[in-house]
Amino acid sequence: MIKLNEHKEPQHSVTSQRYLTPNKVTVFMSQHLGSPAELIVKPGDEILRGQIIAKTTGFVSANVHSPVTGKVLKVEYAKHPILKHAEAVIIGPDYTKPRVNFKPKDTIKFSKEEILNIIKESGIVGMGGATFPTHVKLMPKSPVDTLIINGSECEPYLATDCRVMLEYTNEILKGVEILAKLLDVKTVIFGIAENKPRAIKLFEETIENGKYDFPLVKIAELNAGYPQGGEKQLINIVTKRKVPPRGLPMDVGCVVHNVGTCLAVYDAVYKGKPFIERLVTFCGDALKEPKNVWVTIGTNLKELFDSNILEFKTAPKKIICGGPMMGIALDSLDYPIIKGSGGFVFLSHDEAEVPETPCLSCSRCVDVCPMNLLPNEFVRAVKAGEYELLEDMNLIDCMECGCCVYSCPAKIPVVHYVRMGKQFLRNHAVKEKK
Amino acid sequence: MYNISSSPHLRVKLDTRSVMLNVILGLLPVTAAAVFFFRVPAVYIILNCIITAILTEWLVLKMRGVNPLSNTSYGSLKDLSAVVTGLLLALILPPAVKWYAATLGTVFAIAVVKHIFGGLGCNIFNPALMGRLFLMIAYPKMLTTFYEPFSVDVVSKATPLALYKFSSQFVSLKSLFLGNISGSIGETSALCILIGGIYLLLRKIADWRIPLTMFGVVLAVTIIMGTINPLSGSLFFHLLSGGLLLGMFFMATDPATSPVTKLGRYVFGAGCGLIIIIIRYWGGYPEGVMFSILFMNALTPLINRYTKPKRFGER
Ligand code: SF4
Ligand code: SF4
């Protein structure tokens, strides 16, 4: 674990605004972990806001909905922030048509299966960044006794979790209520980072005063540093349990959901609204002012600048999709926002632009690795081409959190080498099978 | 087009050069003490070793076909590691060392110990200590001749540990602490070493585990020996004399030659402490710090292998 300069202000204090009328949306079939959804519309089709345009395929997958009312213009391969290129539907919105308003549902009478189905149909995926389809996590294969709500947001700069906690406290708690019931857990633990004192207080008060049907509930103030919001780390901090290597949270009786996901679950179950909009933080020193904006999934990043929602102060040197520790640097502004886009950071100066120098064996990377690995050895083995050693070194367990790279005085991009090593292991596994 | 390097996109400010610069800063009090107590000869030795180290590093990098002033995979003159090695070696040489011996030792440390094994970060043994070991074999007499601080003519005088070992005499603790004793130029003032060492620990340049266990083991055994044989000298005498403090703060913590695992660093420190004790009480030399650290240097790869931390969640 490491302590980072968090750069959370002023984003933490900027009230969210809306930009829900994009000129064009580009919606990917693949914006979650797992198999891509299967397209069920074709160019020329008139579609409605909230209508399913691609259906789940396989167990780990999620539906995709049209975020606007309008017409399917094209189906093509578009630039994807994570996958580089992926199949997408281009939709031209038609704002002359009446706006679709979602109907609240009378959920009291609903059975567990029905509620689970609503969540599945709504295409909700984890909002914390991993975009794992939420309904899958609600059907654990082994018994679960603890539901952990992740409000740590340990990546520097990003502020959406903080904002939703402050602005939608009741809705999140209602969402948590649903999840706790579905999972039938004994304990609910909210893990909120100490850098969000207002959120902690608000949650404490709201839980105290509100009428929520919770089992045992606890708020854990997190102060361990980055990456305390990583699933395994968070579980360890709040329950002392350790998920075994390559295991899942349910192996130790836990399920973790992000606060944003809980809000999406509330929207789906109580308002009948699928996952078509999300809150995104835009910040960094190259922007005139940081903003938290509700945007329609599929909105092009560039459009936000064209429509003056965002303005540059200085020319950015680096644009990061996600947080600066695990996010991906984009080569242009021409990228659509996807379900997993929690934030974009625009930096006028690139700290990573430093030459790599020889490893000193100084052990700083080893000391900070939250997975207790030996990052310096990965680098050595990959550089020397000793790939057969990587498996024994447990390279696979590296979660690419970047703590090692951040701390390295020799400025060695360990994660870059880790990815090379993992790629090799994958290729190798494929060959072995054949 | 924007920069698109792989994550993470943040870096600490600390780089190799600033690590080395901090080590040099940590050595400043000791260096000052060396110059204060041993005057001009100390200045000569220090300058000699540093300049030789820089020139040797430059030459070797040239010979390896790289520009010594750019970033290379063998290191660079700019990273200041050569200066650290030169300064460290100077500080563990006796004041009477001849200029050619100091030069030769430095060349050996940089060219052979550091670069033959791969360069910056790849060496198995601490270059400064190996440089001294080399000189001890090449010039045994010169390297074991010490004289009192401030003396104008070189009247040889045994070090406190030698005095104790061979003639059971003790020097005053005050002299030991301040440095008014004979010995290698940088080993005499416990006070100055402590100041620099604590600076390194506070700045997190050196890890505290090695000095702590090393000191702890020497302390514990000395207490035990003291109760068995009251004539074996006072506690502080053993802790303050010889190169123990300098070695444990500045040599044993050398990153390249000490283990990378936390557990390994405890083992390393304890091992160093134990070997020092064995040599001091039962060995032929009065002082064992150099041997102990070099010995543990050799074991470092092994220690790393056997103290590999259990990965998160593994039982
Ligand atoms: S932090 Fe960097 S220099 Fe230090 S051991 Fe790790 S990779 Fe090597
Ligand atoms: S090795 Fe992997 S898990 Fe460990 S600190 Fe580096 S990126 Fe994180």
Side-chain angles (χ1 to χ4, degrees), chain A residues 324-346:
Chain A
M325 291 305 283
M326 292 184 75
I328 292 179
L330 302 179
D331 57 357
S332 77
L333 283 178
D334 185 24
Y335 282 95
I337 281 157
I338 61 173
K339 287 180 181 177
S341 311
F344 291 85
V345 186
F346 302 83

Side-chain angles (χ1 to χ4, degrees), chain A residues 365 368-375 378 397-405 414-415 418:
Chain A
C365 53
V368 297
C369 178
M371 303 307 287
N372 300 342
L373 305 170
L374 298 179
F378 296 156
D397 294 295
C398 168
M399 59 190 229
E400 301 179 22
C401 67
C403 289
C404 50
V405 185
V414 184
V415 173
V418 164

Side-chain angles (χ1 to χ4, degrees), chain A residues 89-101:
Chain A
V89 183
I90 320 287
I91 304 168
D94 184 349
Y95 296 113
T96 58
K97 297 247 175 72
R99 187 179 167 85
V100 174
N101 286 314

Side-chain angles (χ1 to χ4, degrees), chain A residues 205-421:
Chain A
E205 285 168 7
T206 318
I207 292 173
E208 187 123 321
N209 303 330
K211 286 179 209 63
Y212 300 102
D213 185 11
F214 281 144
L216 190 65
V217 63
K218 197 167 102 187
I219 293 185
E221 191 175 329
L222 311 172
N223 58 7
Y226 175 86
Q228 64 187 3
E231 219 169 41
K232 291 183 176 183
Q233 281 67 36
L234 183 62
I235 292 170
N236 186 227
I237 293 169
V238 301
T239 68
K240 300 274 176 291
R241 299 177 195 172
K242 284 190 174 173
V243 180
R246 282 161 237 196
L248 291 170
M250 65 182 180
D251 297 342
V252 292
C254 295
V255 168
V256 182
H257 284 287
N258 173 273
V259 283
T261 313
C262 300
L263 177 59
V265 166
Y266 168 87
D267 281 345
V269 175
Y270 286 99
K271 289 200 198 152
K273 181 179 166 191
F275 188 3
I276 54 171
E277 286 152 14
R278 73 159 296 154
L279 187 62
V280 185
T281 299
F282 300 93
C283 60
D285 66 339
L287 284 192
K288 226 182 209 148
E289 35 178 339
K291 290 195 171 156
N292 296 307
V293 191
W294 281 98
V295 289
T296 312
I297 302 288
T299 308
N300 196 290
L301 189 55
K302 193 160 174 294
E303 190 184 323
L304 295 167
F305 285 91
D306 295 342
S307 55
N308 292 328
I309 298 287
L310 303 176
E311 270 178 276
F312 282 126
K313 185 167 74 188
T314 47
K317 199 140 205 199
K318 201 167 214 178
I319 297 177
I320 305 162
C321 168
M325 291 305 283
M326 292 184 75
I328 292 179
L330 302 179
D331 57 357
S332 77
L333 283 178
D334 185 24
Y335 282 95
I337 281 157
I338 61 173
K339 287 180 181 177
S341 311
F344 291 85
V345 186
F346 302 83
L347 298 175
S348 67
H349 163 77
D350 184 7
E351 285 183 16
E353 209 177 15
V354 281
E356 174 181 346
T357 61
C359 172
L360 302 173
S361 281
C362 72
S363 77
R364 285 180 173 80
C365 53
V366 180
D367 292 352
V368 297
C369 178
M371 303 307 287
N372 300 342
L373 305 170
L374 298 179
N376 60 322
E377 304 240 312
F378 296 156
V379 177
R380 205 195 46 72
V382 171
K383 277 188 175 173
E386 293 170 344
Y387 292 106
E388 53 297 343
L389 293 179
L390 294 175
E391 213 151 337
D392 289 339
M393 292 178 176
N394 300 317
L395 181 82
I396 300 299
D397 294 295
C398 168
M399 59 190 229
E400 301 179 22
C401 67
C403 289
C404 50
V405 185
Y406 174 82
S407 313
C408 175
K411 313 293 167 196
I412 299 173
V414 184
V415 173
H416 172 74
Y417 291 108
V418 164
R419 292 195 181 121
M420 280 167 68

Side-chain angles (χ1 to χ4, degrees), chain B residues 34 36-39 41 94-96 145-160 163 169-172 175 179-185 188:
Chain B
F36 177 75
F37 288 116
F38 296 99
R39 303 293 152 121
T145 306
F146 297 92
Y147 64 82
E148 291 256 331
F150 306 125
S151 50
V152 188
D153 345 291
V154 181
V155 181
S156 75
K157 175 101 192 286
T159 62
L163 276 176
Q169 296 176 29
F170 295 103
V171 300
S172 89
S175 301
N180 192 10
I181 48 170
S182 69
S184 298
I185 62 170
T188 61

Side-chain angles (χ1 to χ4, degrees), chain A residues 243 245-246 316-319 324-325 327 329 331 350-351 353 355 357-364 367 371-372 374 392 394 397 402 405-406 409 411 415-416 419, chain B residues 1-16 19 71-75 120-121 204-205 255-256 260-262 265 308-314:
Chain A
V243 180
R246 282 161 237 196
K317 199 140 205 199
K318 201 167 214 178
I319 297 177
M325 291 305 283
D331 57 357
D350 184 7
E351 285 183 16
E353 209 177 15
T357 61
C359 172
L360 302 173
S361 281
C362 72
S363 77
R364 285 180 173 80
D367 292 352
M371 303 307 287
N372 300 342
L374 298 179
D392 289 339
N394 300 317
D397 294 295
V405 185
Y406 174 82
K411 313 293 167 196
V415 173
H416 172 74
R419 292 195 181 121
Chain B
M1 199 64 176
Y2 306 106
N3 282 6
I4 48 164
S5 55
S6 71
S7 66
H9 308 288
L10 302 180
R11 298 284 191 280
V12 273
K13 283 230 172 62
L14 188 81
D15 61 7
T16 304
V19 169
N71 267 309
T72 78
S73 46
Y74 317 121
L120 182 64
K204 298 212 161 84
I205 297 298
V260 292
T261 64
K262 283 182 188 158
R265 276 173 264 157
K308 220 169 120 177
K310 270 195 190 141
R311 60 194 160 140
F312 182 90
E314 195 166 37

